[in-house]
Amino acid sequence: VCAQLGISSRQHWQKVLYKRQPFPDNYVDQRFLEELRKNIHARKYQFWAVVFESSVVIQQLCSVCVFVVIWWYMDVGLLAPQLLFGAGLVLSLIGYVLFDAIDSGVGRKERGQTRWSDLKSSLVFVAFTYGFSPVLKTLTESVSTDTIYAMSVFMLLGHLIFFDYGANAAIVSSTLSLNMAIFASVCLASRLPRSLHAFVMVTFAIQIFALWPMLQKKLKAQNPCSYVGVTLLFALFALVGLLTISSVGAILFTLLLASISFLCPYCLIELQLLKDNIHGPWDEAEIKEDLSRFIS
Amino acid sequence: MVFKVFFPICCSAAESGLLVGCWIPEQNSVVILAVIHFPFIPGQVKQYLSDVQHVTQVNMSVLGSWCNSKQEKEEGLDKFLEDLGAIFSHNPWVLLSREKGSKFWNCSTIWKRSSGNEEDEIILVYYDQRKVMLSELHPPENLATSTHCKADDASKLTAVFDTVAKSKILFMTDQYDDGPIKLTHWQSEGVEASIIVELMKQASVPACTLMTFLLSVVSSICKSRVLKFWPLSFIWSKLSTCEQLGHRLEHLQTISSIRKAKTQAQLMRKANIFVSLLVDVALGMLLMSWLYRKNRIGQLADTLIPVADHVAKELQDLLQWLMGVPAGLKMNRALDQVLGRFFLYHIHLWISYIHLMSPFIEMILWYVGLSACLGLTMALSILSDIIALLTFHIYCFYVYGARLYCLKIYGLSSLWRLFRGKKWNVLRQRVDSCSYDLDHSLLALCCLQSCCFCCPRLHCITWCLLW
């Protein structure tokens, strides 16, 4: 040790690999811990801001809930398909007008989308779904109903898991989540009494799983106050719908929503205090530049 | 030194006479090539030997006398033989004699030198003249390193072999030649026995030429452009009869080619093809003689239609079973019905076609049977074609099933990629992520679900039909 110290006093240690130095490979000097940093990525969260952000999850949960409730009504025959179709049409038109009105048509111009193309694609939808509904109806005839239910549950869960809530993670895939939702809707629709029911059900699924989140996203970006109002209304609607089917389910769903929107943000903020991340020269190298523009 | 006498086996039965051969003084050995029989004129013998020597470059001379006494030993013969040595002066003079009823031969030498009074040992070596003539002695490879004694031995033997090989011309004269001198040595069997073969050899050349011409005409017709268009060429490739005909044409061309076979293998190949052709035709003839006796063709035709009917009925039963609940598997009913009816209709069509054909089947079989005279293989290939044509509907099912199955697998794989929001990038040969439009994904999803739920059904049908 004395000899080593003698050497180190004479020769200064450098953190480089290209020089031959009289130190062992794992040698570090006293300055090693000087570069230690703690919690550099920790953020200070505001409680209400977190609650506001969690509303996306609430919305999606409510969408699934509303979809299942509507399906149940159709299955038992309490809701006529014509009525649902009419309501869906009217609501879609209102949403379409709103969609343009929120940013006064700026987004549409940016994407170069015309009203004609919108109309065309919606017509294709309706025609195709209508034509295919008898096939969809008979497709799963020989499959057991329990299998269908299990498959739908898994698909809806997958939809909730893979949905794009705004997080930047690898698991997020909006196409996959939408596909899974529509798959579930087709599965459930095949259990309805007639092919018209199936057609209306699939249309409704597209409205609530594809169009409704688009409107929400825009609303949230442009007009946060009204977004909160819409979310509350939607959640209330879902809860009431569920209450008419089963009170226990409604209570559980309320608890779930409350825990997601209030308990989880509270826990997040509380647990931030316990955060103890250390950073230093031993960290892996990180590529700072955004390379995604080269990849795509 | 040991005195060696190389004596050909074929001469051991020769009549008495003179031994003709070659004297190799370095090795103290005598190679006897032939025996000249007794009534001869010495001048002619000398003349003959010098002629032969001129041609073969072998130092031939009269070496001694050969006595094969069939009768009792005559008095004075020994003396005569010894006197011969005086006429054909040669040193040494070999006296070989074989006595009747005795296994032992007498062999002695007379040396002119008075000093050579010592009794030499004599070794009589028999050799097969033909084999020695045709073979060649190769000296051992590591000649320099091995002992010199062995090398010397080898070179001595080589000299003997060379001598016999060089005097090949001597053996060409056969025993029926009426020359002034009668010789005994190895000789070929003579040409008289193979006159027929010779005649055939002579005749085969024009026959082969004619056949080659005919075959080239036939093959040029076969290769003509008219027969190469798409549907025809496809049919040719599918029919085994055409393939068989092609093979047969090729074989005939090989046999009848005028060029001489260069190697032994080629010759064997030609002979092999020829014999197989003959056997084939013979078997075909047998088959024909069996078929055209006792109206067997008619019986065959009568049994063919019921068999086809039976097969069709079995197939129909199978399809009915598949359209229900095969092995307890519940399947997609609508698809079931569609596919099942399609196949049933197919079978129905086929059966009606066969019934339409039934009056002509006997006639067709009669003419087809004639093809057996071209060979058994031809008949068999035609039979295989007929069976293939009779079971054409089953083949059709197979093709449909395979196509459907392939389509389904391909569709499922690409739709599964679409379901995950990916697509196959053809340019980069990999799977890329891709954001689809809403209508695309909906359409694809419906297709995926159809595929998914029809999958087990199709599996079932395909496997049953393929089996």
Side-chain angles (χ1 to χ4, degrees), chain B residues 77-251:
Chain B
L77 187 62
D78 291 341
K79 186 80 185 99
F80 170 65
L81 289 174
E82 274 174 38
D83 288 349
L84 276 175
I87 302 171
F88 301 99
S89 55
H90 193 268
N91 191 21
W93 188 251
V94 183
L95 284 170
L96 262 176
S97 65
R98 183 182 171 189
E99 280 173 39
K100 195 195 172 196
S102 162
K103 279 182 184 175
F104 302 104
W105 292 26
N106 293 324
C107 187
S108 59
T109 53
I110 300 167
W111 295 83
K112 283 278 167 65
R113 294 196 303 270
S114 55
S115 59
N117 207 10
E118 72 267 43
E119 280 291 310
D120 276 349
E121 275 187 69
I122 298 174
I123 301 176
L124 190 69
V125 183
Y126 282 106
Y127 71 95
D128 190 326
Q129 218 163 20
R130 178 169 179 267
K131 282 180 186 165
V132 172
M133 183 186 81
L134 290 176
S135 54
E136 187 182 345
L137 191 75
H138 296 279
E141 292 286 323
N142 45 358
L143 202 70
T145 53
S146 66
T147 54
H148 287 282
C149 176
K150 273 186 181 173
D152 283 348
D153 286 350
S155 69
K156 281 176 195 168
L157 272 176
T158 314
V160 173
F161 273 67
D162 277 349
T163 309
V164 178
K166 271 185 198 165
S167 52
K168 189 178 176 182
I169 193 87
L170 180 71
F171 309 127
M172 298 302 271
T173 56
D174 58 67
Q175 76 194 102
Y176 303 100
D177 278 350
D178 274 336
I181 297 157
K182 300 274 184 192
L183 285 168
T184 296
H185 49 72
W186 167 80
Q187 54 201 355
S188 57
E189 292 302 318
V191 285
E192 282 79 5
S194 56
I195 282 179
I196 300 164
V197 177
E198 282 296 314
L199 278 177
M200 278 176 76
K201 269 186 195 167
Q202 295 299 322
S204 70
V205 174
C208 279
T209 319
L210 186 68
M211 255 182 94
T212 315
F213 174 69
L214 284 177
L215 287 173
S216 65
V217 167
V218 170
S219 64
S220 66
I221 288 171
C222 287
K223 279 174 189 157
S224 65
R225 200 65 70 78
V226 185
L227 299 175
K228 290 276 172 184
F229 284 123
W230 174 72
L232 282 176
S233 64
F234 181 72
I235 291 172
W236 300 150
S237 70
K238 289 292 170 204
L239 286 181
S240 58
T241 313
C242 294
E243 217 161 288
Q244 186 61 36
L245 273 173
H247 280 304
R248 185 51 59 83
L249 202 64
E250 204 176 292
H251 285 171

Side-chain angles (χ1 to χ4, degrees), chain A residues 22-291:
Chain A
F23 302 102
D25 284 351
N26 56 355
Y27 177 80
V28 285
D29 60 1
Q30 297 90 341
R31 293 170 301 152
F32 182 65
L33 284 179
E34 281 175 13
E35 290 174 52
L36 177 70
R37 304 275 181 279
K38 270 188 149 185
N39 291 342
I40 52 170
H41 294 309
R43 287 194 215 155
K44 276 288 181 189
Y45 289 114
Q46 297 292 321
F47 180 71
W48 289 107
V50 177
V51 171
F52 175 71
E53 289 299 327
S54 74
S55 61
V56 187
V57 185
I58 303 287
Q59 284 270 15
Q60 219 46 46
L61 278 173
C62 288
S63 291
V64 171
C65 178
V66 164
F67 174 73
V68 173
V69 167
I70 294 281
W71 174 80
W72 190 82
Y73 272 119
M74 295 257 284
D75 199 23
V76 293
L78 286 175
L79 183 64
Q82 293 88 350
L83 185 67
L84 179 63
F85 187 66
L89 203 62
V90 168
L91 283 175
S92 299
L93 279 175
I94 292 170
Y96 186 68
V97 171
L98 263 178
F99 193 77
D100 273 357
I102 289 168
D103 60 351
S104 50
V106 177
R108 174 182 296 282
K109 272 173 204 157
E110 276 172 6
R111 274 180 292 158
Q113 218 173 8
T114 59
R115 281 172 214 288
W116 170 241
S117 70
D118 285 347
L119 184 67
K120 211 165 64 179
S121 66
S122 57
L123 271 180
V124 165
F125 263 153
V126 172
F128 179 74
T129 320
Y130 190 74
F132 233 78
S133 57
V135 176
L136 297 181
K137 176 78 187 60
T138 55
L139 207 55
T140 58
E141 218 174 34
S142 56
V143 181
S144 158
T145 307
D146 291 339
T147 315
I148 291 289
Y149 287 163
M151 207 158 21
S152 310
V153 167
F154 278 117
M155 287 293 159
L156 287 174
L157 272 180
H159 166 72
L160 287 176
I161 288 167
F162 294 114
F163 189 76
D164 182 14
Y165 296 110
N168 188 15
I171 198 173
V172 170
S173 162
S174 54
T175 316
L176 179 59
S177 97
L178 180 63
N179 279 335
M180 286 180 118
I182 293 174
F183 195 98
S185 79
V186 172
C187 283
L188 286 178
S190 68
R191 291 294 126 180
L192 292 176
R194 279 171 47 216
S195 57
L196 183 65
H197 289 74
F199 161 65
V200 172
M201 201 67 226
V202 174
T203 320
F204 180 66
I206 288 163
Q207 281 163 354
I208 204 166
F209 288 123
L211 303 179
W212 178 229
M214 279 160 74
L215 181 63
Q216 279 172 30
K217 218 173 183 174
K218 207 159 203 178
L219 207 62
K220 190 182 160 199
Q222 301 287 333
N223 201 340
C225 293
S226 60
Y227 175 66
V228 173
V230 165
T231 308
L232 281 177
L233 263 179
F234 192 53
L236 204 65
F237 179 66
L239 270 176
V240 171
L242 197 56
L243 196 63
T244 54
I245 297 170
S246 103
S247 48
V248 179
I251 290 165
L252 285 177
F253 190 64
T254 317
L255 284 177
L256 178 69
L257 289 188
S259 67
I260 284 176
S261 59
F262 299 112
L263 193 63
C264 289
Y266 177 73
C267 286
L268 178 71
I269 289 167
E270 284 298 304
L271 291 175
Q272 284 287 311
L273 296 178
L274 302 178
K275 198 165 186 174
D276 191 17
N277 276 5
I278 55 171
H279 298 269
W282 54 85
D283 280 357
E284 294 166 10
E286 228 175 286
I287 300 167
K288 288 287 191 316
E289 201 182 355
D290 183 22
L291 292 178

